[in-house]
Amino acid sequence: CYLGTGTYYKHEGAIHAHHAIHRSQGGKDDVAIPLCWLHHAQWHNHGGVFLGLSRLERFAWAQQAIAATQRAWAASRGEAVA
C-alpha cells in the first residue's frame, strides 16, 4: 500500500490500483496509486486517513502519490529517476 508499511497505518486486504484520473477521463495505469483495500475504500468514502481533506488537498495528495509511485516503478526497472 502506498501509505507505507509503518505501524502508523493499519492495512487490510489486497492491493488495489486506485486510478487517480478515472479511466473514463483518459486515465491509464501510469497514474494509478497502489492502495490496500481499506485505504482504497477510505479514499472513495472520504473517511479514515482521508477524513477532513478538502478537494484541493485530496488532489495534491494524489499528485504527490502518483509522482512517488512513478519514481519507485522506474527505479525498480533500473530506469533513470528524475
Side-chain angles (χ1 to χ4, degrees):
C1 180
Y2 172 77
L3 291 173
T5 58
T7 58
Y8 183 77
Y9 296 112
K10 177 183 176 189
H11 302 283
E12 288 185 20
I15 299 298
H16 291 223
H18 170 65
H19 291 89
I21 300 173
H22 198 274
R23 287 179 178 257
S24 67
Q25 298 171 334
K28 298 180 181 178
D29 286 338
D30 64 344
V31 292
I33 304 164
L35 293 174
C36 69
W37 173 87
L38 174 65
H39 292 127
H40 197 218
Q42 288 176 349
W43 175 268
H44 287 289
N45 294 326
H46 304 267
V49 297
F50 303 106
L51 183 66
L53 293 182
S54 70
R55 186 174 184 161
L56 183 60
E57 290 168 325
R58 287 167 54 88
F59 177 80
W61 182 89
Q63 293 303 306
Q64 188 273 331
I66 290 167
T69 300
Q70 288 173 339
R71 284 191 303 272
W73 175 248
S76 75
R77 296 173 39 187
E79 298 174 0
V81 179

